[in-house]
Amino acid sequence: MTSTDTADTAPGTTAPGSTEPGSDPVSPSETPKAGFVATSLEELRKVVWPSRQQLFSESLAVILMVTLSAFAIAAVDRFYSWANSQVFR
């Protein structure tokens, strides 16, 4: 462990306020908002966006599973409603 590592930091990370060798800290002229926006845009460039076909098929799978779950919950609800009406006539 180095002096910058603490028990509450994950492996491969540095303690808050310290910088890794070779990394450029945010310049004092940058506002926190500008640094956040720049970092967010940098991370968005790293995202692997799904293809149109993958987006369509996965969306269809989600819609299908939600629909099936809704029908299953409705069936269980109707059964318990029927059972309740039979018991408490």
Side-chain angles (χ1 to χ4, degrees), residues 16 23 83:
S23 67

Side-chain angles (χ1 to χ4, degrees), residues 11 18 22 32 41 49 54 56 66 70 82:
S18 64
L41 291 174
W49 298 101
Q54 183 181 13
F56 179 77
V66 167
W82 173 82

Side-chain angles (χ1 to χ4, degrees), residues 12-37:
T13 61
T14 58
S18 64
T19 59
E20 292 183 22
S23 67
D24 295 329
V26 176
S27 67
S29 64
E30 284 189 41
T31 63
K33 285 183 182 178
F36 174 76
V37 170

Side-chain angles (χ1 to χ4, degrees), residues 30-68:
E30 284 189 41
T31 63
K33 285 183 182 178
F36 174 76
V37 170
T39 304
S40 297
L41 291 174
E42 182 180 326
E43 290 298 321
L44 282 173
R45 286 187 203 102
K46 295 178 185 178
V47 173
V48 178
W49 298 101
S51 66
R52 188 174 298 265
Q53 180 184 4
Q54 183 181 13
L55 182 66
F56 179 77
S57 65
E58 290 181 8
S59 297
L60 189 63
V62 168
I63 291 168
L64 179 67
M65 291 306 297
V66 167
T67 303
L68 289 174

